[in-house]
Amino acid sequence: MPLTAIALNCTLKADPTKESSTDAMIAVLAKAFAEHDVTVSETVRVAALDIKPGVTSDEGDGDAWPGLRGKILAHDILIFGGPIWLGQVGSVAKRVLERMDAFLGETDDQGRMPSYSKVAVAAIVGNEDGAHMSSSQIFQALNDVGWTIPAVAACYWVGEAMGSVDFKDLETTPKKVTETAAMVAANAAHLAGLLKAQPYPG
């Protein structure tokens, strides 16, 4: 069965014409996923949308979350991408996680949330320490709201402390990043295929 993925770029840059290191990391993962016949249908620049604060699936007039929520749940794999700010995952990523809190009350007759049997991985970039802190925040929150996290689920890059070089500006992608991306994609595709064929019973 064919597998599909959607990527969320939770950069703080709302203008999609501005280059983002998170986009660059997502592109590395998308290339790795293609090796496993997983199609990354699109990358959504979350800050360009009016995702209102709240913990429901629809916060009223103008809220762009219901549309994005539908897109996310139409895919088998979620690539959750974002930058490190102040040593932790950025505010846009936290907004998305908060909106997914509604999944807790949206269970089916077997007690399964809408995200059950779907897989999530992370793409993290930054010029300071915090990749492990960010992945722990992302994965704990996603697991709480029903996503399945595979082994080796985070692909990240951090530059020199207090440095000024961004991932998008590197001349070549570090070998360790491409190796990790390959493992993330392989594990996520394998797990997503198993869960698509035989979903959690609830």
Side-chain angles (χ1 to χ4, degrees):
M1 291 182 287
L3 296 171
T4 60
I6 187 170
L8 302 184
N9 180 349
C10 295
T11 176
L12 304 189
K13 300 181 180 82
D15 185 351
T17 65
K18 290 187 177 179
E19 290 187 3
S20 161
S21 285
T22 305
D23 270 335
M25 181 60 79
I26 288 170
V28 172
L29 277 170
K31 183 177 179 181
F33 271 114
E35 294 296 317
H36 299 277
D37 298 321
V38 177
T39 301
V40 179
S41 66
E42 66 175 308
T43 297
V44 178
R45 183 73 67 102
V46 177
L49 304 175
D50 185 10
I51 307 296
K52 297 189 179 299
V55 291
T56 73
S57 285
D58 191 341
E59 290 292 330
D61 290 347
D63 185 16
W65 176 250
L68 180 55
R69 176 187 179 279
K71 283 185 177 183
I72 293 169
L73 294 176
H75 292 77
D76 305 298
I77 299 170
L78 170 64
I79 302 172
F80 196 104
I84 300 165
W85 287 109
L86 301 174
Q88 57 189 309
V89 64
S91 59
V92 174
K94 289 181 179 180
R95 173 70 55 88
V96 171
L97 295 171
E98 288 166 353
R99 294 304 300 272
M100 287 187 187
D101 185 77
F103 292 175
L104 292 167
E106 297 174 348
T107 56
D108 64 13
D109 292 341
Q110 283 73 47
R112 298 173 296 190
M113 288 177 265
S115 48
Y116 261 42
S117 300
K118 296 181 184 293
V119 171
V121 300
I124 300 168
V125 291
N127 283 320
E128 57 185 282
D129 196 10
H132 284 179
M133 171 65 82
S134 296
S135 63
S136 68
Q137 291 173 316
I138 292 168
F139 290 148
Q140 182 61 60
L142 289 175
N143 185 257
D144 282 349
V145 295
W147 295 89
T148 297
I149 312 301
V152 192
C155 192
Y156 67 84
W157 176 87
V158 290
E160 183 181 4
M162 301 185 201
S164 58
V165 177
D166 290 336
F167 182 72
K168 64 181 174 57
D169 297 325
L170 298 178
E171 291 184 6
T172 59
T173 302
K175 181 180 179 183
K176 192 64 179 175
V177 172
T178 56
E179 289 176 347
T180 302
M183 183 67 76
V184 170
N187 291 351
H190 176 74
L191 184 56
L194 293 175
L195 289 171
K196 188 166 187 173
Q198 191 170 358
Y200 290 126

